[in-house]
Amino acid sequence: MKLKNIGVLLMTVLMMLFCIPVNGFAEDTAQQTTEAQVQTYEDGSFTYAYVDGGVALYSCDTSMLAVNLPDESNGRKVVEISDGAFYQCSKMEYITFGKYIKKIGRSAFQGCTSLKSLTIPDTVEEIGSYAFGGCTQLKDLTIPKNLKEIPEGLCFECIMLENINFPDSLESIGVSAFYNCNLLNTPAFPEGLKKIGDYAFSFCYAIMSAELPSTVTEVGSAVYYGCINITEFTVPKQLETLGTLMFMGCSTLAEFKVEDGNPTYTVKDGVLYKDDMKTLYAYPCGKQDVNFTVPEGVTVIYDGAFFSALNLQEVLFPSTLQYIGAGAFEYCSGLKQIYLPEGVEIIYENAFADCTSLMDVHLPETLKGVGNYAFYTCTALKEITIPKNCKTIGEYAFGYTDSGETDDEGNPISVKIEGFKQHGTVDISRILVIILGVLVFGGIIFILIRIIRKNQMTPEEHEEIIQADIKAEDAQYVNILNEIEDEQKKNT
């Protein structure tokens, strides 16, 4: 997303909200794991629980400024820090670990907003998710040398974190592990790293390079979302899976590269492709070109491929194109017209949403469906013709939010573009011709039935029908006479 754009900023806030963990985790844990279920005892400022191999620090006095964890308690080794043990100990600035600690639980130090530096001992083999989430003063973190997996949200929103040392043993980095670590410098990843989860380094503004070791095989979605200082990215040799919107909002990213030997991805003129160039995977949104021609042979423009490519004013599409992915051109505010070739079948949701300069759109006769919000908030687009073969139009596919109209609660009302045309599906003259044809055909059938029925009647039945018709005519004649007589009486 473009961080300078208000609309993108709103989406950014939403994304952040979606990623925020439950802050009350420790309290929930306390409710689920009561002292009636876990045998605990107090020793000084700490409460301990019995676990295999020793005891776990279960909870503590939240008013402590500094903590020195003991090696043992009551003759038992302190081997674990329980889930949420130091949850929101907001006054604690320093902590040292005992020499037998093997495990740090989920959210163990979450919300320790005064904690500034932390060295996790090499004895630790496992760390729970969001263990240091929200430690907003934490600047340095040393990961134990034998740790293979950095859990989900390990340093979520540690906004002052500047340095982190990854061990050589590291194989994976979890979802949102360093989300919104604004000051985090470009990390040095070890060879052997294989997987990076969704949003792992989102909004790490200080990261200058996105170079990954050749051993990485999987990178999740939006991993570097909002990293505005990244200028290029090289696809590692062994990378097989690259998530969508990985570089969303990377406004200075001008070029993609691919390491020699990668069998899945290809680069041409700095643009990333896959599947033997049948799929245009990602266009660097910091590229300065105002015009771009999609190469012949491309059948799919991938989800978010041109997301927030603000400099683009014109895109020419190949005759081979069939599908335009979700959000493919979203926030391309410089685009003025779109001419889609015959062969395009599906335009997915949000494909051209927020293209605020878009005034002219040509859709092909081959189009079968338009997804939800496909052209949402294209405020310059006032009229569009929908091909007759298009059977599906999603919710507010051609809509926008009119700030001039609000509901009872003051929220903007979403409306559809006035005057958009549905070509070939509503033809009044054709409908009239069809109705007239049905009436004529029905009349002919009715006459034939009467003729056939008449030929099948006996003389007696035929006489009865004639008499019934005469009686009906007589009754009608009498009614007319009565109406005339009544009118004369009124006049006299």
Side-chain angles (χ1 to χ4, degrees):
M1 284 182 189
K2 180 176 179 289
L3 302 178
K4 300 176 185 176
N5 185 291
I6 293 177
V8 182
L9 181 59
L10 291 175
M11 290 184 68
T12 296
V13 173
L14 291 175
M15 298 291 287
M16 292 176 67
L17 289 174
F18 289 145
C19 293
I20 291 176
V22 179
N23 289 333
F25 168 77
E27 297 166 310
D28 295 339
T29 301
Q31 293 175 356
Q32 296 172 6
T33 309
T34 65
E35 292 192 10
Q37 297 170 308
V38 178
Q39 187 177 359
T40 63
Y41 68 92
E42 293 185 4
D43 184 4
S45 300
F46 306 115
T47 299
Y48 295 93
Y50 293 103
V51 295
D52 291 341
V55 294
L57 194 148
Y58 189 73
S59 63
C60 68
D61 179 359
T62 58
S63 66
M64 292 185 295
L65 299 178
V67 173
N68 292 309
L69 293 181
D71 296 333
E72 298 181 354
S73 174
N74 282 0
R76 293 176 178 266
K77 296 178 180 179
V78 180
V79 296
E80 183 179 322
I81 298 175
S82 296
D83 295 350
F86 291 91
Y87 180 78
Q88 289 190 344
C89 289
S90 57
K91 296 182 180 180
M92 185 175 65
E93 297 182 7
Y94 302 98
I95 183 170
T96 58
F97 295 91
K99 62 183 179 181
Y100 299 118
I101 295 290
K102 294 183 178 180
K103 178 181 177 181
I104 297 175
R106 181 183 179 191
S107 297
F109 295 90
Q110 185 176 349
C112 293
T113 54
S114 296
L115 191 62
K116 296 179 179 179
S117 181
L118 193 62
T119 298
I120 304 174
D122 290 337
T123 55
V124 173
E125 300 172 351
E126 180 182 350
I127 303 177
S129 58
Y130 297 95
F132 306 102
C135 293
T136 53
Q137 294 298 316
L138 186 63
K139 292 185 178 182
D140 297 284
L141 181 63
T142 299
I143 303 295
K145 65 179 182 180
N146 295 317
L147 196 71
K148 292 185 177 181
E149 178 182 352
I150 288 181
E152 177 181 351
L154 176 70
C155 294
F156 183 89
E157 291 197 331
C158 292
I159 58 176
M160 299 299 290
L161 185 66
E162 296 179 359
N163 299 297
I164 185 165
N165 298 314
F166 293 121
D168 293 338
S169 59
L170 189 64
E171 295 181 358
S172 69
I173 298 174
V175 172
S176 301
F178 300 96
Y179 184 96
N180 207 28
C181 293
N182 303 156
L183 302 182
L184 183 64
N185 294 313
T186 302
F189 298 110
E191 288 291 329
L193 181 66
K194 297 178 181 178
K195 179 180 178 181
I196 302 177
D198 299 345
Y199 303 99
F201 296 95
S202 292
F203 300 104
C204 293
Y205 304 135
I207 291 181
M208 306 292 291
S209 172
E211 295 300 314
L212 302 177
S214 60
T215 52
V216 172
T217 60
E218 181 180 348
V219 177
S221 297
V223 166
Y224 290 102
Y225 168 33
C227 294
I228 57 177
N229 288 307
I230 292 177
T231 58
E232 66 177 46
F233 173 71
T234 300
V235 176
K237 181 178 181 179
Q238 298 182 37
L239 187 69
E240 299 173 355
T241 303
L242 184 63
T244 58
L245 299 174
M246 182 175 168
F247 294 96
M248 187 166 48
C250 296
S251 54
T252 59
L253 180 66
E255 183 180 17
F256 288 106
K257 297 180 180 179
V258 174
E259 192 174 355
D260 291 342
N262 186 290
T264 306
Y265 295 93
T266 304
V267 163
K268 182 179 180 181
D269 297 328
V271 180
L272 189 62
Y273 302 84
K274 64 179 297 189
D275 303 325
D276 296 326
M277 290 195 66
K278 292 181 180 179
T279 300
L280 193 157
Y281 200 82
Y283 179 95
C285 63
K287 198 174 177 68
Q288 297 299 307
D289 298 354
V290 296
N291 301 309
F292 179 74
T293 299
V294 180
E296 282 291 329
V298 170
T299 60
V300 177
I301 294 178
Y302 203 70
D303 296 351
F306 290 84
F307 190 97
S308 192
L310 302 177
N311 296 315
L312 278 180
Q313 297 180 16
E314 182 182 20
V315 176
L316 301 179
F317 299 96
S319 61
T320 52
L321 188 64
Q322 297 178 20
Y323 305 101
I324 297 178
F329 292 89
E330 192 169 1
Y331 285 102
C332 290
S333 57
L335 283 180
K336 296 179 180 179
Q337 62 179 15
I338 293 295
Y339 190 98
L340 297 179
E342 294 299 321
V344 173
E345 297 181 1
I346 304 292
I347 299 174
Y348 286 92
E349 61 269 17
N350 292 82
F352 295 94
D354 290 281
C355 292
T356 52
S357 297
L358 193 59
M359 300 177 63
D360 184 24
V361 173
H362 170 80
L363 302 178
E365 292 297 324
T366 53
L367 189 67
K368 297 178 180 179
V370 180
N372 295 340
Y373 301 91
F375 291 87
Y376 190 74
T377 319
C378 293
T379 52
L381 183 62
K382 300 301 182 183
E383 186 174 278
I384 191 167
T385 299
I386 310 300
K388 60 184 178 182
N389 294 321
C390 184
K391 304 301 182 183
T392 302
I393 299 176
E395 180 182 2
Y396 288 109
F398 306 100
Y400 62 95
T401 299
D402 184 358
S403 58
E405 297 184 38
T406 58
D407 58 22
D408 294 338
E409 297 179 357
N411 300 314
I413 296 175
S414 294
V415 296
K416 287 186 176 180
I417 291 175
E418 295 183 3
F420 85 83
K421 300 176 181 178
Q422 182 81 15
H423 176 69
T425 58
V426 182
D427 190 333
I428 301 299
S429 60
R430 179 178 295 183
I431 292 174
L432 292 175
V433 170
I434 292 173
I435 292 174
L436 181 62
V438 170
L439 292 175
V440 171
F441 182 75
I444 294 173
I445 296 297
F446 177 76
I447 293 172
L448 290 175
I449 292 174
R450 293 278 298 207
I451 293 173
I452 294 172
R453 176 62 177 159
K454 181 177 180 180
N455 292 335
Q456 292 177 341
M457 291 179 184
T458 63
E460 292 79 9
E461 291 175 333
H462 184 60
E463 183 64 26
E464 289 178 2
I465 290 175
I466 293 174
Q467 293 300 323
D469 289 340
I470 292 173
K471 288 181 179 180
E473 291 177 356
D474 289 343
Q476 185 177 5
Y477 179 72
V478 171
N479 289 335
I480 293 172
L481 290 177
N482 289 335
E483 289 176 2
I484 294 172
E485 184 177 351
D486 290 341
E487 186 68 24
Q488 290 175 344
K489 288 179 179 180
K490 290 179 181 179
N491 294 332
T492 58

